[in-house]
Structures are given as C-alpha cells and as structure tokens.
Amino acid sequence: MVSVCTYCGVGCEIEVEVENNKIQKISHFPGGVSNGGGICVKGRYGFKFLEKRLPTHLAKMEYIDKIAPQLPFPLQVRLANLTPYDHRFYQIPFTLAVDLTSWQLGKIVEEMGGEAVAGIGGARTNLESGWVFQKFIREVIGSPNVDNCARVCHAPSLKGLKRTIGEGASSLPFDALFQSEVIFVIGSNTTHAHPMVAKRIIEATRRGAKLIVVDVREIELMKFADISVILPFETNLLFLNSLAREILEKGLENREFIARRTGNFSQFKTQLLSSPDGKETFRRGGFGKVADAIEKIAPLLTRKTAFLWGLGVTEHLDGSDAVSAIANLALLSGNFGEGAGVMPLRGQNNVQGACDVGCLPYYLPDYQPPEKEGLKTPQIFDAILEGKIGAVVNMGEDLLQIHPNQNKVAKAIEKLPFLVVLEVMESRIVEKADIVFAVKSGYEKEGVYVNAERRLHLTQPLVTSHLPDDWEVIQKIAQKMGGEFNFASTREVLEEGIAREVGRFAGARYARLKNGKSLQWPIAPSGEDTPILHREKFSTPDGLGYFHFAQWEPRGELQWHLTKGKTPTGDISPPWYLTTGRDISQYNNGSQTDPAPQLHRKYPEDVLLVNPIHRPQLGERVQLKSQFGVSAPLKVRYTSKIRPYTLYTTFHFAQSRVNFLFGDEADRHTLTARFKSVEVEVIPVETPEKEG
C-alpha cells in the first residue's frame, strides 16, 4: 500500500506492509518524488503510536458534574450511562460528545458573542479538515479567531516572502537542488529536521554544487560545506544585510534582472548602503571570521543559487525581516528559475496546506484578507486570562508543550471555561480538556497533505479505524449548530469545497493524486501543476519583486561583545545563550515517535549540549533558568561542536519544561516566538552518588 509519512514537511511517499490490520513495516515508495529515494528513522519506525493511541471519546468527570444541572432534560438522561475511562474521564459516545459540545459552544456564543470562541490547529491533519475547521469557526461560530502552529514556526516565512515576491511558499521542488550551482542553507539543522532534503543537498555537492551552511553552532551538514559560518546569536539579519551590501559594493548585482523584474531598488540600495557596515560590526565584536566569510560568499551568490532556511531564521525577534533579507539576496542576484529560488523548510506535514486554506487569523483561504483580523494564538491566551475567550476548539496542537511562556499558557488553560480537543494521542492538552474527540491519524484516513514544496499528496487508510476524521467531527458539531455542512466524503470536501473556493487548488482531484502521484500548486483546472514559481513574474499585483530593507537592531551576543569593555566591571564572563531544535529520532512533542522502541532507544530524553571547557563548573546535569521560568534538570553532553557559553537542547519531552524558559518575546509582525535565543543562568544539579 502507498501513502504519505505523517511527520515533517518533506512529505515522503511510503510503501507499507499491513497484516491483520496492523502496520508491519514501512519503507520508501520507489516511485516517490518527495522522498528522494529514502526514508528517515521516524518515517521507518514511527508507526508504533497506533498501538497506544486514544481509543475513544472522553468527557471530563469534573466538567460533567458541573454542567449536568444546567443541561436540557434529554441530555441529562443520556449522562446516566457514562462509564469511567480512568479517574479523570468518562468514556462518551460520539453523538453525545457532539451534542454536549454544540450545546456548550452555543451557550457561550449566546452569552459572550462569537468572538469568545477560538479555533487553534490544522497543520497536523489533512487539508480537508483544515478547510472545514476554519469555515466552521468563521461561518458557524462567527469568530475571526482562527490559527494554527505556523504561529510557532514559519509565519515569518509567509510574511517575509509575501511582501517581497507575493507568495509565502517555496518557489522550487526539492529535486531542483540537483540543478543548483550553489546551495545556501541558514538556520536549518537539515540532517535532523528534514533528512531527505539533506540527502539531496549532500548528493548535489557530490555532483559539483557549492554548499554554504550558516548556523550558531557546528551542525552535521557543515561536514559537506565549502563554506561554514558560525554566527553569534541573533545576527541573521545583520549577516544577510551584509551579504547584500557586499554584492552592491562589489558591483555583483544582476542589473538586467533588477531592471526588468523588481521595484524600489534605488530606495533599497540607499537604505542599505547608508546603514552601519555589518562586516565592520562583526570584526569589532571579535567575529572576524564571519566578516571574511561574507567576502567569500557574496561572489558565489551570483551563480545559480537555491536559498534554504528553517526555524533558526524565523524564530527570532526579526524573523520576518530576515526572511525578506533572504528574498532580497535572491532578487539582487536574479536567482529565480531552474535550480534557483527560495525554499523555506516547513516543519509539519501540512503547515503549508493549513495556511493555504485559511487557518490563520489574518488570511482567509487563498490568502484573501478577512473583513476583520482575528487573534493570534499568543493573543488568545491573553484574552482567556482577561475573561474574553470562553471556549477553545483545539485540533491536533499540544498547547501545553509547544508554545512559549508555558507558565502563562498553563494559567490560561486552567481559567478557560470550555476546552474541546481533537487528538490522536494522550498529550498534555488532552489532560485538561472538557471534551476529547479521538480522531483518525494520518495512517488511518484518506486526505490531502501539502508539503514544503507545495506538493499535494493523497493519503489512503493503511489500517481501518472506527473513529471519525477531524472534519467529520467538526461537520457534525456544525450541523447541530445550524451550519449547512453536508459533505459525504473527504474527496467531496476537496473537490466540491476547496477546489471551488481556493484558486491554487482548482484542478486538484483525487483521481489525479492516486497511487502516489502528486501535484504542486497552483494547479490549473486542466490538472497542469506548477513545479517552479516566479519564472516570468512574481505573485504581486504588478508582477514585480520588491526589496524590503530592515535595519538590524544591536542586541544579544554580538552586542555584549561590542560593549563589554565599556561596562564598569570590565571584562566579565559572557552570558549563556540557549537555542533549541530537533533530534532526528523524535518529532515535536514526542507523543507519536516515543512509543516506537527503536526511536526511544536512540533519543530517550532531551539533552543539553555544552562545550567541554565548562565541565568542571557544571558537572553532568544542570537546570536552566531564564527571566521567564525554569527547566527541569537536563542531562549534559559535552561536545566541541558548540562554542563556549552557547547551549543547545531539544524540546521533545514535556517533562523537560524547556518551553518554560521562553516568554512573550516574538517577531513583531507574526508573534512567532523567540525560540532560538534566550539568555539563561546555568545551575549545576548534584547527582546522587551510585551505591556499590
């Protein structure tokens, strides 16, 4: 059987062996386009969660006790036959869960208005469910408050690209990397987060492509790089602007392309050249190697270049501006076309698709502006604490682990009057839900997912399940609340709903996506797709690309080095800076990967990477403390691949409390959290001596 991996944004096509309604083995589908001829360990072994998934719908005992006296008599009668699931929840029939949810949501809308309800989720389920979800919140509930986990990761990619080239998505397919002469990767630990993209990058270097890799620490991909750059924390924008300045000062820009296909170049050039010299700033801060690298990299970017980035760019205060700075480089060098362009590496299997169909507070489907912009997820938490939000419908997003400022999030969830969760696994947010709908996983249902290269894949059920799909749950609730939702199948949602409303999916049909086939949007009604964007014009109203300049604001590690000699105490020890990321063996909150023994053995806990010079002062286990919160004790692994006073850890296990270290600091345009840089205090934890 052929389907699609349920994990990262690569969207690998998989071949699956099933026996007695259980997956026995997963391997790559030889005819797959996205998988690059392989599959990573998560895709190969990460199906064991199906043996530990939520088996039934749930209602919290405390919630049932609270609402029972208020319910209409027919609903009260139906509560009598509920049986315990555990000490917290009752098992509840699907129809009763729907009726209770629709009754409670209706009551909140009647008393507080539609905007007192928020919908969060959509990037971990299929395209069809995401579209129905936002349609339900907007049209049936009457709330503009719709969001998804793009808020956590790539919202700055959408913002930064939309204002420069008009489309917030990859302009290239993955295989175009084989046609690139230069591959520029910044802020992406690609071998761990997107292994099948990394496989292509490595193969491209063997075919002669030059590879440039930029990060705040030494990563595995740098072993294959022609130029590796280790940046001080929070200097992406300064570095990218410095490359653009170097191109202009050396006269390396593609003048013909700029004249024919861009606007506001003169203004951009004036702003850039009148700003402080980035190379000089790096040198004064003691990072002369970065300045030297800028001089080497700039000439290479005049060749056919693909620009790739991940959360190491977007999860910063200036994430959107840094993405625009990457687009500036592509515009300056004329790098759009075969083997050249921009490629944000999406983290979830349907982040691109969820945004395409309008699971965002500031965009309707097809990126049309709404009449009223809704609240972003961090603002929803604030509104809950202010008593303005009475209910959240949460579809597949573990709010109590993946978001920053977990102290505040936890307080908000405790105060929230009504929480509905649609989930596959028993995550932290499930523990706090009033009603839980157990839904099909990606391996149990049919539906379309849109990967990081805009590619639509059709999944098919690998094993049968009696549970509903997410859209089926939402449709039933909508019908109870008077909504005219009458889709008979997932296929009908796509072809009768999405394809008619969302222009980029006009030609999407299940028949065209069967048996591992795929299409990249925009898809014409004829079925012709578009592997490469922006060949002749950009997706802006006039077809031109627009440069966007933003000045780097001095802060973080580099600013400390620039000013340390001016402090009254003189030359003191630098502060510690923490950044976070993924391990190849685990995925996000670990709820679906950790049940697999092969993956748990490879990475059973979040580990902190520290330079060996700190071993005498820190020992084997430490706690991290920021101005926002404290982590749990973390095991230390010493490695020279990370600089002194630089720290790195993953965030896969809730018990590590890593996201308690981050506050509300975020990209000012999108509120995407500053996950890639926080100043911390490192507290050694005494390890009990072993007996013996």
Side-chain angles (χ1 to χ4, degrees):
M1 299 177 73
V2 178
S3 195
V4 183
C5 178
T6 190
Y7 293 110
C8 82
V10 176
C12 291
E13 301 92 343
I14 55 176
E15 200 164 63
V16 186
E17 295 179 17
V18 179
E19 187 177 316
N20 298 324
N21 204 39
K22 283 189 176 183
I23 296 176
Q24 303 297 319
K25 181 182 178 182
I26 292 181
S27 54
H28 76 276
F29 174 52
V33 180
S34 295
N35 62 33
I39 189 173
C40 79
V41 290
K42 289 188 292 291
R44 189 176 301 278
Y45 300 116
F47 58 86
K48 290 291 186 179
F49 70 87
L50 291 170
E51 299 173 11
K52 298 184 178 181
R53 54 152 305 125
L54 271 170
T56 185
H57 314 297
L58 306 173
K60 182 162 284 181
M61 293 175 175
E62 181 182 346
Y63 171 70
I64 294 297
D65 291 343
K66 181 177 72 175
I67 65 162
Q70 308 169 39
L71 289 172
F73 182 70
L75 282 179
Q76 287 186 11
V77 171
R78 292 164 66 189
L79 298 180
N81 295 324
L82 294 180
T83 58
Y85 174 75
D86 59 18
H87 66 283
R88 304 161 298 170
F89 289 101
Y90 292 115
Q91 298 181 62
I92 185 170
F94 177 63
T95 53
L96 181 54
V98 167
D99 289 347
L100 290 178
T101 300
S102 59
W103 173 82
Q104 185 72 79
L105 289 175
K107 193 166 183 288
I108 290 168
V109 170
E110 182 181 351
E111 294 174 356
M112 301 176 67
E115 293 190 27
V117 178
I120 303 174
R124 292 289 297 138
T125 186
N126 50 29
L127 192 71
E128 295 86 349
S129 292
W131 182 76
V132 169
F133 182 70
Q134 61 83 32
K135 192 175 180 69
F136 164 69
I137 296 294
R138 287 189 164 108
E139 297 181 12
V140 179
I141 298 294
S143 173
N145 304 322
V146 183
D147 208 353
N148 79 86
C149 73
R151 178 73 40 247
V152 184
C153 52
H154 268 289
S157 291
L158 173 57
K159 176 67 177 181
L161 292 178
K162 199 97 169 61
R163 65 187 176 191
T164 51
I165 58 176
E167 196 70 85
S170 176
S171 67
L172 296 168
F174 296 143
D175 280 348
L177 296 174
F178 296 133
Q179 299 167 308
S180 302
E181 296 175 3
V182 178
I183 300 173
F184 180 98
V185 181
I186 180 169
S188 167
N189 185 17
T190 325
T191 54
H192 280 245
H194 303 89
M196 293 303 105
V197 175
K199 185 173 183 285
R200 286 178 173 86
I201 293 171
I202 294 166
E203 176 59 28
T205 65
R206 291 171 178 156
R207 298 184 185 188
K210 298 290 185 183
L211 175 61
I212 302 161
V213 181
V214 185
D215 211 298
V216 296
R217 66 188 182 100
E218 184 181 339
I219 58 174
E220 190 174 331
L221 195 62
M222 288 179 176
K223 291 190 297 187
F224 306 93
D226 296 275
I227 301 176
S228 297
V229 184
I230 307 293
L231 289 179
F233 275 67
E234 299 192 66
T235 58
N236 288 329
L237 181 58
L238 179 65
F239 176 75
L240 294 163
N241 282 347
S242 299
L243 284 171
R245 184 188 185 110
E246 185 77 7
I247 288 171
L248 289 173
E249 289 183 338
K250 296 294 171 61
L252 300 172
E253 70 272 20
N254 188 329
R255 295 172 188 173
E256 185 276 331
F257 182 92
I258 291 168
R260 181 170 55 89
R261 296 200 53 192
T262 73
N264 77 326
F265 170 67
S266 296
Q267 178 187 355
F268 169 76
K269 182 176 180 179
T270 299
Q271 290 174 314
L272 180 63
L273 295 181
S274 61
S275 66
D277 187 332
K279 282 198 305 181
E280 176 59 26
T281 303
F282 280 117
R283 291 194 196 281
R284 286 193 296 110
F287 293 90
K289 289 183 179 180
V290 175
D292 294 342
I294 289 168
E295 295 175 353
K296 295 175 183 176
I297 292 169
L300 290 175
L301 300 185
T302 62
R303 299 164 64 178
K304 190 186 295 185
T305 303
F307 296 88
L308 287 68
W309 67 94
L311 307 191
V313 168
T314 59
E315 291 182 339
H316 281 288
L317 298 181
D318 53 15
S320 295
D321 292 331
V323 171
S324 291
I326 294 171
N328 291 340
L329 290 173
L331 291 172
L332 275 177
S333 54
N335 267 310
F336 286 95
E338 299 284 345
V342 293
M343 186 182 291
L345 295 173
R346 302 286 192 172
Q348 305 245 28
N349 59 348
N350 201 38
V351 165
Q352 184 66 59
C355 296
D356 295 339
V357 295
C359 286
L360 290 168
Y362 39 77
Y363 284 123
L364 300 174
D366 230 10
Y367 301 100
Q368 298 303 305
E371 286 186 18
K372 180 176 182 180
E373 187 172 305
L375 298 177
K376 303 175 182 71
T377 301
Q379 295 168 325
I380 290 170
F381 296 137
D382 289 333
I384 293 170
L385 293 171
E386 293 165 5
K388 297 177 181 177
I389 295 287
V392 168
V393 182
N394 179 50
M395 184 170 68
E397 190 165 320
D398 192 354
L399 304 178
L400 284 170
Q401 184 173 345
I402 70 168
H403 286 275
N405 204 343
Q406 280 292 309
N407 283 311
K408 185 175 82 171
V409 174
K411 289 176 185 176
I413 296 301
E414 285 293 337
K415 184 174 180 179
L416 181 65
F418 186 53
L419 174 61
V420 183
V421 170
L422 286 68
E423 253 301 349
V424 173
M425 306 300 292
E426 290 192 34
S427 61
R428 289 291 177 98
I429 196 64
V430 164
E431 296 174 8
K432 297 296 182 180
D434 297 299
I435 300 289
V436 179
F437 288 95
V439 293
K440 291 176 179 175
S441 72
Y443 292 150
E444 298 165 310
K445 63 185 180 184
E446 188 174 51
V448 171
Y449 292 80
V450 186
N451 78 349
E453 52 178 351
R454 298 174 285 107
R455 188 179 299 279
L456 280 69
H457 287 108
L458 177 64
T459 64
Q460 60 176 309
L462 303 174
V463 294
T464 58
S465 169
H466 67 283
L467 296 171
D469 197 349
D470 296 278
W471 73 266
E472 293 175 299
V473 173
I474 298 300
Q475 175 165 282
K476 287 293 184 184
I477 297 169
Q479 289 171 342
K480 286 288 181 179
M481 298 183 72
E484 296 182 3
F485 285 46
N486 294 293
F487 296 106
S489 66
T490 314
R491 176 176 183 163
E492 194 172 293
V493 176
L494 179 78
E495 298 181 2
E496 301 300 319
I498 297 173
R500 291 185 177 185
E501 180 179 297
V502 187
R504 68 198 60 223
F505 299 128
R509 299 290 184 273
Y510 273 30
R512 293 170 177 159
L513 296 169
K514 287 285 186 183
N515 301 317
K517 295 179 182 177
S518 61
L519 297 169
Q520 288 177 267
W521 66 247
I523 306 167
S526 63
E528 183 181 358
D529 70 341
T530 315
I532 298 175
L533 296 179
H534 317 306
R535 285 181 180 271
E536 299 299 328
K537 63 179 182 178
F538 293 103
S539 302
T540 55
D542 61 5
L544 298 178
Y546 283 88
F547 294 94
H548 178 89
F549 176 76
Q551 175 62 51
W552 177 72
E553 298 176 4
R555 64 174 179 274
E557 184 181 9
L558 179 57
Q559 181 65 4
W560 186 89
H561 282 281
L562 288 168
T563 59
K564 66 174 183 177
K566 300 176 183 178
T567 61
T569 54
D571 193 349
I572 57 175
S573 295
W576 295 90
Y577 288 96
L578 172 72
T579 192
T580 62
R582 292 179 181 166
D583 183 83
I584 191 172
S585 302
Q586 295 287 355
Y587 188 74
N588 288 7
N589 69 356
S591 64
Q592 289 187 209
T593 45
D594 203 49
Q598 299 93 331
L599 301 179
H600 177 81
R601 284 196 298 268
K602 285 178 178 291
Y603 200 77
E605 63 178 315
D606 291 315
V607 175
L608 185 71
L609 302 187
V610 183
N611 188 279
I613 71 164
H614 299 295
R615 185 191 292 270
Q617 70 191 94
L618 298 184
E620 303 306 314
R621 196 168 282 269
V622 301
Q623 225 170 346
L624 304 179
K625 181 180 180 181
S626 73
Q627 61 175 307
F628 309 108
V630 182
S631 75
L634 298 169
K635 180 181 177 181
V636 178
R637 181 181 300 157
Y638 291 99
T639 172
S640 59
K641 296 183 183 300
I642 198 158
R643 294 176 293 128
Y645 294 100
T646 297
L647 304 168
Y648 170 85
T649 190
T650 51
F651 46 72
H652 298 304
F653 301 93
Q655 60 267 31
S656 300
R657 295 172 57 91
V658 171
N659 284 350
F660 282 79
L661 296 167
F662 302 94
D664 287 339
E665 298 176 315
D667 175 79
R668 63 189 174 92
H669 298 288
T670 66
L671 297 190
T672 294
R674 187 190 194 177
F675 276 126
K676 297 309 177 193
S677 178
V678 65
E679 190 174 327
V680 295
E681 178 186 351
V682 184
I683 306 167
V685 176
E686 291 187 11
T687 305
E689 293 184 11
K690 294 181 180 180
E691 295 181 6

